[in-house]
Amino acid sequence: MKRIGVSGLVLLIWALVALAAPWLPLHPERIALEAILQPPDMQFWLGADDIGRPVLDRLLVGARTSFWVAGWVVGLSVIIGTLLGSAAAYLGGIWDRTLVMIIDLFMAFPGILLAIALAGLLGPGINNLVFALTLVGWVGYARLARAQVLSVKSREHVVAAQALGTPSSRIVLRHLLPLITAPLVIEATFGVAAVVIAESGLSFLGLGVQPPEASWGSMIRDGVRYLLVAPHLVLAPGAALFLVVLSVNLLGDRLRDRLDVRTWVRVGEQGARV
């Protein structure tokens, strides 16, 4: 429980910093030549980078970058994947077979390599980064939504709605989607961690957020050259990335335990034995 509490606090701070960053007195592009590679002190709490910019300010702006990229990518991927997977599974026939072929085509390539290829073709930039990661990310949600709809579309209330002549779109939205929300929420939680890592990785390679905008991945890339003389340039964004990804994964594990019916059954059986 303590780990979950700490992880929740980390994610809350991450969200608050991302939302409040435009109104905070941050100066991520302010250059102080006398402070080049300066270690942490009272003036620069996390030190300064190779051209004298405050690492703390850039770290907070990078938190906003990762938060918004993760939000947009996961949100768009969930919407697109859920709608396509649910509709194809419910309609069946050629629609379902076509979607399965498309999913298999995307699953044949490693997701991160496909994202790198798309980002390279589209060019660097945060908008192209979101588009590339969304084009790769929707597949997992479509596959999950399809499997879930196939398992619940023969239930009595769905058959009754069909017998009453309810439109297919209404059946999917009102009778099927509420039943498959839990696994999609869990998958989306883990998806946030995956997108944060992917965004940092692409920015590290120079295919994501471009200078002078701050990103944890680009901060690590710039700091690698000075790792021996100024390790704070890598340790600060690396620690932030580690804490956020770990906290998101812990939250996902907690949600999975809370929303998994099989866990409730096991707990009930243990109580009955006692």
Side-chain angles (χ1 to χ4, degrees), residues 1-213:
M1 292 298 295
K2 291 182 179 179
R3 290 187 303 170
I4 297 300
V6 172
S7 65
L9 179 61
V10 170
L11 295 178
L12 179 61
I13 294 175
W14 180 43
L16 290 177
V17 168
L19 295 174
W23 295 278
L24 294 176
L26 302 177
H27 305 284
E29 306 306 327
R30 177 180 294 176
I31 297 175
L33 297 180
E34 69 280 1
I36 291 178
L37 300 181
Q38 181 172 319
D41 58 13
M42 294 303 296
Q43 181 180 2
F44 297 92
W45 288 8
L46 292 180
D49 65 5
D50 56 326
I51 58 176
R53 296 173 297 187
V55 174
L56 177 60
D57 291 11
R58 295 186 62 78
L59 187 73
L60 297 180
V61 174
R64 182 173 184 267
T65 300
S66 63
F67 182 85
W68 286 113
V69 170
W72 275 106
V73 171
V74 173
L76 292 174
S77 298
V78 170
I79 294 173
I80 296 172
T82 301
L83 292 179
L84 290 178
S86 302
Y90 179 76
L91 296 175
I94 188 173
W95 302 104
D96 189 38
R97 291 194 297 270
T98 302
L99 180 67
V100 170
M101 291 176 57
I102 295 174
I103 291 176
D104 291 340
L105 180 63
F106 274 88
M107 296 293 290
F109 299 94
I112 187 63
L113 293 182
L114 185 57
I116 291 174
L118 290 173
L121 291 174
L122 296 172
I126 191 168
N127 293 330
N128 292 338
L129 175 63
V130 170
F131 179 79
L133 293 178
T134 302
L135 196 60
V136 173
W138 70 271
V139 178
Y141 301 100
R143 187 181 183 187
L144 178 60
R146 175 183 175 273
Q148 293 295 318
V149 169
L150 288 175
S151 66
V152 301
K153 72 174 187 178
S154 59
R155 292 189 177 181
E156 290 81 0
H157 70 286
V158 178
V159 176
Q162 293 173 340
L164 292 173
T166 306
S168 299
S169 59
R170 184 177 179 86
I171 293 176
V172 172
L173 295 175
R174 296 292 299 274
H175 299 283
L176 294 179
L177 287 184
L179 296 177
I180 66 174
T181 299
L184 288 172
V185 169
I186 297 171
E187 181 71 13
T189 303
F190 291 112
V192 170
V195 171
V196 170
I197 294 177
E199 182 274 322
S200 298
L202 292 176
S203 295
F204 181 88
L205 296 174
L207 298 174
V209 178
Q210 297 298 296
E213 296 294 330

Side-chain angles (χ1 to χ4, degrees), residues 202-225:
L202 292 176
S203 295
F204 181 88
L205 296 174
L207 298 174
V209 178
Q210 297 298 296
E213 296 294 330
S215 169
W216 291 343
S218 61
M219 291 176 66
I220 295 174
R221 178 195 62 203
D222 296 338
V224 166
R225 295 176 294 175

Side-chain angles (χ1 to χ4, degrees), residues 220 222-235:
I220 295 174
D222 296 338
V224 166
R225 295 176 294 175
Y226 308 98
L227 185 59
L228 296 179
V229 296
H232 61 276
L233 299 184
V234 174
L235 293 178

Side-chain angles (χ1 to χ4, degrees), residues 248-263:
V248 173
N249 285 330
L250 289 175
L251 177 62
D253 289 335
R254 181 63 175 172
L255 287 175
R256 181 175 56 192
D257 294 339
R258 292 290 297 272
L259 298 177
D260 191 354
V261 177
R262 291 172 295 181
T263 302

